Amino acid sequence: MPRTRRRWRWALPAALAPVIALGGVASAATETTAAAGHDKVVYHHHRPGVGSPCEGLAGCTFVQLTGDPKTGPSEAMFTLKAGTRFAPHWHTSPEHVVGVSGTVLWNVEGHKRYRVGAGDFLDYPGKAVHWGQCAPGADCVYYVYDELPYDFHPAK
C-alpha cells in the first residue's frame, strides 16, 4: 500500500504574524486585506498603564484589537503586573497566545507548566482549564486570539 504524505497548513490570525516577525517587540503593526475578510489597518503601540481593566482581576489590563468578543472572533493584547496570578478558568473558544514581553508561567490542566515569553506561542483547545502567573521582576504583555465569542468560566 503506497504511503501518502499529509500536508499541514495553518493560517495565522491577521495580527499574529507581525508579532512573531517582530520577535516579541512590545508593539505590533498589522495590515490586513479584504481577501482575509478585513478592510482596515490595525495598529497597536503598547504603552504601560493604558487599557481597560480585566473584569475580576486586579493587576490586569487589556486593549481590544479587532473583532467583538461578545459576538465572534476577537484579538486582544493583555498586560499583567509582575507577580499577578490568574485563577483556574476556561473559555469555550480555543485560545492562541503569543508572548510579547515578560514571562507568564502558564498552566494547562493535564499538561506541563509553560514559560510564555517574548515570541513564544501557546495554543490550547476550548474548555481547557488554565491558570498562571506573571513571573516576578517584569510586567507581562501577551496577545490572545479567540476563535469564538469570549466567555469566562471559573474552574471548580
Side-chain angles (χ1 to χ4, degrees):
M1 187 149 137
R3 286 185 153 179
T4 58
R5 182 181 235 170
R6 288 188 179 176
R7 289 190 175 193
W8 295 98
R9 289 182 49 181
W10 49 286
L12 295 174
L16 186 58
V19 173
I20 291 172
L22 290 172
V25 174
S27 65
T30 63
E31 186 168 340
T32 58
T33 64
H38 296 92
D39 59 359
K40 63 181 180 175
V41 173
V42 177
Y43 174 78
H44 170 68
H45 175 75
H46 176 73
R47 292 176 304 283
V50 174
S52 301
C54 301
E55 189 174 329
L57 183 57
C60 176
T61 58
F62 75 98
V63 173
Q64 193 65 46
L65 299 171
T66 65
D68 182 347
K70 294 177 185 170
T71 62
S74 64
E75 298 170 293
M77 194 75 74
F78 288 83
T79 301
L80 293 177
K81 291 284 185 194
T84 299
R85 295 176 184 271
F86 55 96
H89 65 282
W90 58 273
H91 313 281
T92 302
S93 179
E95 285 198 314
H96 314 279
V97 179
V98 175
V100 176
S101 64
T103 301
V104 181
L105 307 173
W106 210 292
N107 301 282
V108 179
E109 192 170 71
H111 300 274
K112 68 179 191 167
R113 172 183 273 191
Y114 301 94
R115 297 180 61 83
V116 180
D120 292 337
F121 175 75
L122 177 63
D123 179 74
Y124 46 89
K127 300 184 181 177
V129 173
H130 55 283
W131 65 96
Q133 175 182 9
C134 177
D139 291 352
C140 297
V141 178
Y142 58 95
Y143 160 91
V144 176
Y145 171 70
D146 287 305
E147 297 176 22
L148 303 172
Y150 180 84
D151 56 10
F152 180 92
H153 304 277
K156 296 183 182 189

